[in-house]
Amino acid sequence: MLETLKKEVLEANQQLVTHHLVTFTWGNVSGYDPKENLMVIKPSGVPYEDLQMKDMVVVDLEGKLVDGTLNPSSDTPTHLELYKAFPEVRGIVHTHSEWGTAWAQAGRSIPCVGTTHADYFYGEIPCTRRLTPSEVNNGYEKETGTVIIEAFHHKNPLKVPGVVVHGHAPFAWGRSPADAIHNSVVFEKVAKMTFLSELLQGEQPHRLDHHILNKHYERKHGKNAYYGQSN
Amino acid sequence: MLETLKKEVLEANQQLVTHHLVTFTWGNVSGYDPKENLMVIKPSGVPYEDLQMKDMVVVDLEGKLVDGTLNPSSDTPTHLELYKAFPEVRGIVHTHSEWGTAWAQAGRSIPCVGTTHADYFYGEIPCTRRLTPSEVNNGYEKETGTVIIEAFHHKNPLKVPGVVVHGHAPFAWGRSPADAIHNSVVFEKVAKMTFLSELLQGEQPHRLDHHILNKHYERKHGKNAYYGQSN
Amino acid sequence: MLETLKKEVLEANQQLVTHHLVTFTWGNVSGYDPKENLMVIKPSGVPYEDLQMKDMVVVDLEGKLVDGTLNPSSDTPTHLELYKAFPEVRGIVHTHSEWGTAWAQAGRSIPCVGTTHADYFYGEIPCTRRLTPSEVNNGYEKETGTVIIEAFHHKNPLKVPGVVVHGHAPFAWGRSPADAIHNSVVFEKVAKMTFLSELLQGEQPHRLDHHILNKHYERKHGKNAYYGQSN
Amino acid sequence: MLETLKKEVLEANQQLVTHHLVTFTWGNVSGYDPKENLMVIKPSGVPYEDLQMKDMVVVDLEGKLVDGTLNPSSDTPTHLELYKAFPEVRGIVHTHSEWGTAWAQAGRSIPCVGTTHADYFYGEIPCTRRLTPSEVNNGYEKETGTVIIEAFHHKNPLKVPGVVVHGHAPFAWGRSPADAIHNSVVFEKVAKMTFLSELLQGEQPHRLDHHILNKHYERKHGKNAYYGQSN
C-alpha cells in the first residue's frame, strides 16, 4: 500500500545522508497521504544505508500501525500532531543537524538577517518554549508537537517551513517529503550563516529590512514569482 | 552564436560546484562580449549538473532575449548594470557562499588584514549601502547594480574585483568568466580568514600596513610583477 | 590468542579514520577481556592504514607484554587504570579530535545543553583536574588514569562514557570497542554543538532541564527504553 | 642533478594538496642539500597537479639559478635566509593555510595550551614583528627571512619548527621536506584547536603547565623517547 509515498519517504531519508544532515540514525522523514489519512515514516534506529521499501512504516493519525513490521520512529507522535494541525503539510523532516541544533541548544529563534533566509522563510524561524515537567513525563513526543503548534499560532507554516525546538533540534516541513528535505538543507545553511554574521556584529545585530524580506519571498513564491522557469 | 563565450560561461557555472561556492541553484556566472554588446548568462533555477551549451541565455544590454529558450537568471539586470559601468569587466559571479554572505548579512566591508587579500584585492572589499523601499519595489535587481556602482565611485573595479551587497551576498568579477570564478574563490577564502583573525583580536583589530598591501598587489599585478612564469 | 577481540580492536582503530577523529597516529583504541584479564591495544606510532591483526598488542593488567612484537600505545597505562577501576567497560578510545580537544585545552567540562548529549551522556562530561608536577614526572600515563577515575568518584562511567582530560584531549569508552567508537563520535559532535550554542548565548548559558535529560537518557537506555527495534 | 632531493620536494609539494593546506598555488616546499649548498624549490605559479620532476628549480645560496628552466617560487629568498641561519633544517614549507593565517593576520603568537602542541613544538609558536616600509621596499622576501630569524634569537628552530609571519601566513620546517610537511599539518591543526579553546575561555586563558609541556615533548623527541617503535 502507498507505494509511491513509501518511495518518496525512503528517498528523502536517504537524502539526509547525501546532504550531511545526520550522524548515525539521528534523523527521520515522514510523508502524509491526506486522502487515506495515513502517514509513512522511517523505522526507529535503522541505518539509512540499510533502509528498504518494505521497512517503511505506515500509521494512522492515532499512531496505530497499519502496515509494516518494524517500530516507527520514536518521534512519530510529533509528526502526527503537525500533520493534524498543518493541513497543507505533506512531508516532515527532523534532524540533529549541527548548526540548527546549536540554535536549539541556545534556546533562540533564528532572526532573518539576509536574503537567503528571506528566499525560503518569511521572517524569523521561531524557537518553541520549553516543555514543562508534566509535558515531558506524559506524552513527551506528542507534547513536542504541541509546543511547535503553539509557536505557529500567528504564522503560516508553509511560509515559515521550520522550527527550532528548545534544547533539542530543528524540524522542517514542506509540500512533499522532497520539499521538506530541501527546506531542511536551507535551514541548516541559514542557521550557519546567521551564526557567522552575528559573530561579526556587535551588540545590535541588523535585521533584514522588511521591504527586502517581502521582495525576496515574493519573487520566489508570490503570485508574480519570476525566479526559475515557468514550466 | 557566441559559442566560445557560451562554453566559458557554462564551464564557469560548473566550477561553482567544484569550488563549493553554491547550494542548490544559488549562484550564477555571466560573460560579456564587448564587440557584440551581448551577455551570456546561466538560465534561472536550472541545476548546474543539468546545464548544457544550448541552455545558455544571450541577452542584449537592455536585457532583451537574443538567443536561447529559457529565462535568464533573475539577477540578470544586476549583471547588465555592472557591465555597462565597468567596461573592462568580462565575467561576473554571484553566489551565496557561506563566509562572504556572513559579511553581507553583518552589513560590513571586509577589511584588508593580510597578504592573501592584498595579493588580489587592493584594499578593503566594500559593502554597499542598503537599498531604499522604493529601489526594492521598482527594479530591485537593476538597483542592486546601482548600489554596487556607487560603492566603486572612487575605486577601480579591476583592482578590487568584488563587493559585499548589504543583507544579501557577494558579487565578484574579472577579465573573463574563469577569472571571475578565480576571484570568487579568493573572496570566500579571504572572508573566512578575516572572520577568524578578527575573532582572535580584541577591540582594535590590525589593518595590513599600506606598504605591504602595495608590495603584494604590485608583485602580482603591477608593471614589474615577478610572481609566476613570464610565459 | 584473543583473535575475536583483536579483530574488534583492529576494526575500531580503523574506524577512527572513517569518522575523522584522528590526524596521523593521534589516537588509539583498546579492548578488554575480563575472563583472561588481558587487554588488546593498538601498537604505538603505526599508521591506521598499515595496521594488521598480527600488529595488535596484548598486555596484562600490569602492562606486561603477553602477545605481539610491537610496542603498545604509549597511553597503555591510562587504559589499564580505567579497566581496573571501571569493571563493566570493555573498550576505550583516546583521540585528539578537534572539538573535544578544544574543551580539554580550555580546561572545561562539557555542560549538558541539549538532547543529543542527553541521549548518550547522563549529565555533564567532566574535566579532570590538572596533574601535579610529581604525577607528571612519576608515571605520567598511569596518573592520567588516576585523575580520570577521581573525576568519576560520584558518577557511573557507563552512564557518562567519556571524559575531558585537562590540557590534553578526550577519552571515551563503552561496552565494547565498537561501542566506545560510537561514543567517541557522539562526544565530538556534542563538543562541537555545545561550543556553537555557547557562542550564541550571553553570560548565562542554558542548561538542559533535568526532566528532559532524564527522559531522553531513559527512552534510549532505561528499563522501558522505546528507541530502536526490540530485536 | 639532485634527483633524490627533487623527488622529495616534488612529493612534498603534492602533499600540500592531500592535506588541504593550499588553495590554487598558494604554497611552496623546498629542500636543502648541505653538501652541495643547493636548494630545490617549487617553480612559481605552477599548479600542483601539473608539477613534474623536470619543473623543480635548483638555486644556490645566493639564489642564482643552477638547474631548471622555470622561475623559482617568489618566496625563494625567504627560504634561502632560513637555510643559511638554521643549519640543521633540510626542508621548508610555506602556505596560506586557513587557521595558521588567521593567527598571522591577528599578529599573534600561538600559545601552547595543550599536549598536541607540546608533542611537536616546545612552547609557543612565535609571531614575527612587522616589516618596516624600507624592508618591504628593499628585498621584501629576503627581509621576511630576517624577521623570522630575529624571532628565533633565543629559540632552537628544530624544537619550535614553525613561525607566524605578521600579517602574512605560516612557515614550518623540519629535517627533510616530508618532515616539514608533517610539521605544517600539525601547525594547522594546533592553530585551529587553540583558536577554538580560546573562544571557550574568558579573559585569562590557560597555558599548559610547564611540566606537561616538557613531558610531552620529551617522550616523543627526547633522549629517552618512548613514543612509537624503536626501529
Side-chain angles (χ1 to χ4, degrees), chain A residues 108-112 117 121 123-127 160 162-164 187 190:
Chain A
R108 291 191 51 191
S109 303
I110 305 179
C112 180
H117 184 128
F121 295 86
E124 79 167 16
I125 302 172
C127 180
V160 180
V163 72
V164 173
F187 190 124
V190 164

Side-chain angles (χ1 to χ4, degrees), chain A residues 81-82 85-86 124 126-132 135 142-157 163-165 173:
Chain A
E81 289 306 294
L82 299 184
F86 303 157
E124 79 167 16
C127 180
T128 69
R129 65 166 172 84
R130 297 173 179 217
L131 278 82
T132 65
E135 287 167 336
K142 182 175 187 296
E143 297 301 336
T144 298
T146 305
V147 297
I148 294 173
I149 293 159
E150 263 184 52
F152 280 78
H153 188 49
H154 293 296
K155 278 184 199 292
N156 177 343
V163 72
V164 173
V165 178
W173 46 75

Side-chain angles (χ1 to χ4, degrees), chain A residues 158-221:
Chain A
L158 280 180
K159 294 185 83 171
V160 180
V163 72
V164 173
V165 178
H166 199 295
H168 189 153
F171 280 78
W173 46 75
R175 295 178 188 279
S176 68
D179 189 35
I181 285 285
H182 193 98
N183 289 334
S184 267
V185 173
V186 177
F187 190 124
E188 181 67 358
K189 201 59 97 174
V190 164
K192 178 172 183 181
M193 298 198 306
T194 306
F195 174 97
L196 297 178
S197 58
E198 198 160 293
L199 261 62
L200 280 174
Q201 300 187 75
E203 297 293 299
Q204 295 287 350
H206 298 289
R207 294 295 175 261
L208 193 68
D209 288 326
H210 189 267
H211 48 276
I212 303 210
L213 165 59
N214 211 49
K215 177 71 186 176
H216 266 264
Y217 192 79
E218 291 296 319
R219 76 174 189 165
K220 221 162 171 170
H221 306 283

